[in-house]
């Protein structure tokens, strides 16, 4: 497996792959990899000849009060995990390689970037779409794989790809979970033992919503109240939002008129903010 840190070297490498008629998949990550990331790499490998995993903690998607400095990093561990998952190239630039000292150009997707996570993290998706657009121009992929874990991120990126005519197929991979349902996340290491145990209530609340919808409950208010009661049975939780949305447009739903419905939530426990979601289909 090759490790590349220079933007021009990465572009040159991808040019050669394309000239040889081979297909490239990219898996953008912020590193500190776990089984969720590796599942994306394996899925990418099924669709393409060469898989590039990008590892870059992107300062542009963190607000000043967020955890950019403290975000977990371990490049050597990531490299050996990428190797074992069948990745061909790790692209791991430093911040200076990605953002020159007079960087002035940003990509932002209006409307859908401003709801849900965007309400709590106002400049987050502008940072995500800017870095993903750059990574697309640097790695030149045919396919890009993202996780359903970040449902709004996938909707925003699909919209960017459509609106800006990126000739890239976006594949969304299912969320990988711990046996008790907690979605794998690089930030889970910050949970204390007690918080880790309580954190499984988030997935349980999503499954409760699924059960309610499958039983014919169509009032979002009623389902939300039951979810809130369940989550707050663990008193250390603070809920940022629970939302029911159209899975593609992210339009907020007041009643369940049909499926699929995206149920998503964000909640804080101790110092950790967790997000999760479920697409409910009948
Ligand atoms: P991150 O490193 O957290 O920015 O995530 C990089 C990619 O991995 C994104 O497309 C995420 O949606 C995806 N991802 C993160 N956690 C999981 C998970 N538990 N299961 C599947 N994909 C995930």
């Amino acid at each position: 497996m090759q490790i590349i840190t220079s933007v021009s070297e990465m572009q040159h490498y991808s040019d050669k792959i394309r000239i040889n008629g081979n297909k490239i998949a990219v898996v953008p990550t912020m590193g500190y990899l776990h089984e969720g990331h590796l599942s994306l790499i394996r899925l990418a490998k099924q669709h393409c000849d060469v898989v590039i995993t990008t590892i870059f903690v992107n300062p542009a998607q963190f607000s000043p009060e967020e955890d950019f400095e403290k975000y977990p990093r371990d490049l050597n561990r990531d490299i050996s995990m990428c190797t074992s998952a069948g990745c061909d190239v790790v692209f791991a630039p430093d911040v200076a390689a990605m953002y020159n000292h007079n960087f002035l150009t940003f990509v932002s997707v209006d409307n859908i970037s401003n709801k849900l996570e965007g309400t709590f993290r106002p400049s987050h998706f502008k940072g995500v779409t800017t870095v993903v657009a750059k990574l697309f121009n640097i790695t030149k992929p045919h396919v890009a794989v993202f996780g359903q874990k970040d449902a709004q991120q996938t909707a925003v990126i699909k919209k960017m790809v459509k609106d800006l005519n990126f000739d890239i197929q976006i594949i969304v991979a299912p969320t990988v979970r711990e046996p008790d349902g907690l979605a794998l996340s690089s930030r889970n290491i910050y949970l204390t033992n007690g918080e880790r145990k309580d954190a499984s209530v988030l997935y349980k609340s999503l499954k409760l919503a699924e059960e309610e919808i499958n039983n014919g409950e169509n009032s979002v208010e009623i389902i939300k109240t039951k979810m809130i009661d369940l989550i707050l049975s663990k008193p250390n939780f603070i809920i940022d939002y629970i939302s029911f949305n159209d899975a593609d447009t992210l339009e907020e739903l007041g009643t369940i008129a049909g499926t699929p419905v995206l149920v998503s939530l964000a909640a804080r426990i101790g110092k950790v903010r967790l997000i999760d979601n479920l697409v409910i289909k009948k």
Side-chain angles (χ1 to χ4, degrees):
M1 194 187 67
Q2 211 160 322
I3 295 144
I4 297 176
T5 56
S6 139
V7 167
S8 56
E9 199 185 319
M10 185 69 251
Q11 286 172 318
H12 184 61
Y13 180 98
S14 290
D15 283 341
K16 281 198 300 187
I17 303 293
R18 280 180 164 261
I19 287 164
N20 290 337
N22 288 317
K23 279 193 140 196
I24 302 171
V26 69
V27 179
T29 81
M30 297 206 298
Y32 211 75
L33 303 181
H34 52 64
E35 193 52 40
H37 299 110
L38 301 189
S39 74
L40 269 50
I41 295 171
R42 292 189 198 105
L43 185 62
K45 195 79 188 171
Q46 289 172 25
H47 288 269
C48 285
D49 304 298
V50 172
V51 176
I52 303 168
T53 302
T54 69
I55 297 179
F56 180 62
V57 186
N58 174 34
Q61 69 190 68
F62 292 78
S63 69
E65 61 283 357
E66 288 181 341
D67 58 347
F68 172 70
E69 297 294 344
K70 282 200 226 120
Y71 195 85
R73 293 163 172 89
D74 190 342
L75 187 58
N76 289 334
R77 175 175 165 276
D78 289 345
I79 286 168
S80 65
M81 289 173 82
C82 281
T83 308
S84 66
C87 175
D88 299 285
V89 181
V90 163
F91 175 58
D94 63 17
V95 173
M98 290 294 281
Y99 295 105
N100 66 56
H101 69 284
N102 189 29
F103 189 88
L104 293 174
T105 308
F106 293 87
V107 178
S108 64
V109 176
D110 283 353
N111 186 309
I112 57 172
S113 296
N114 303 330
K115 38 184 88 171
L116 300 170
E117 282 298 285
T119 315
F120 292 86
R121 308 180 72 190
S123 58
H124 174 67
F125 286 113
K126 183 179 165 192
V128 171
T129 39
T130 299
V131 83
V132 170
K134 284 170 67 65
L135 290 170
F136 284 173
N137 284 331
I138 294 166
T139 59
K140 310 188 186 194
H142 299 84
V143 168
V145 184
F146 294 89
Q148 175 62 31
K149 160 85 180 2
D150 298 276
Q152 187 177 8
Q153 174 171 277
T154 64
V156 169
I157 285 165
K158 280 182 178 170
K159 192 77 180 94
M160 175 188 81
V161 163
K162 184 164 186 235
D163 288 356
L164 295 186
N165 308 99
F166 280 101
D167 190 11
I168 298 169
Q169 182 193 356
I170 303 299
I171 295 178
V172 179
T175 302
V176 177
R177 299 179 178 282
E178 300 283 4
D180 67 354
L182 176 67
L184 299 192
S185 163
S186 306
R187 289 187 170 102
N188 289 352
I189 54 151
Y190 297 137
L191 295 167
T192 63
N193 288 341
E195 289 164 355
R196 167 63 195 83
K197 252 189 221 152
D198 288 350
S200 66
V201 77
L202 298 182
Y203 182 61
K204 290 194 182 100
S205 77
L206 293 168
K207 293 300 280 180
L208 173 66
E210 182 177 54
E211 198 182 307
E212 291 289 326
I213 290 173
N214 286 337
N215 288 341
E217 181 55 71
N218 60 13
S219 161
V220 165
E221 212 46 53
I222 290 175
I223 305 172
K224 252 192 213 177
T225 304
K226 290 187 179 178
M227 292 174 75
I228 292 169
D229 287 348
L230 179 61
I231 295 171
L232 296 185
S233 69
K234 309 292 177 194
N236 291 332
F237 267 111
I238 297 166
I239 299 171
D240 277 354
Y241 64 84
I242 295 176
S243 189
F244 289 60
N245 300 71
D246 179 284
D248 295 319
T249 63
L250 299 189
E251 191 195 325
E252 192 164 352
L253 306 174
T255 49
I256 309 293
T259 54
V261 174
L262 170 69
V263 185
S264 56
L265 56 80
R268 285 171 282 144
I269 183 163
K271 292 192 181 108
V272 189
R273 186 171 182 277
L274 299 170
I275 60 168
D276 203 351
N277 70 83
L278 202 59
V279 175
I280 298 170
K281 297 179 185 142
K282 265 197 192 166

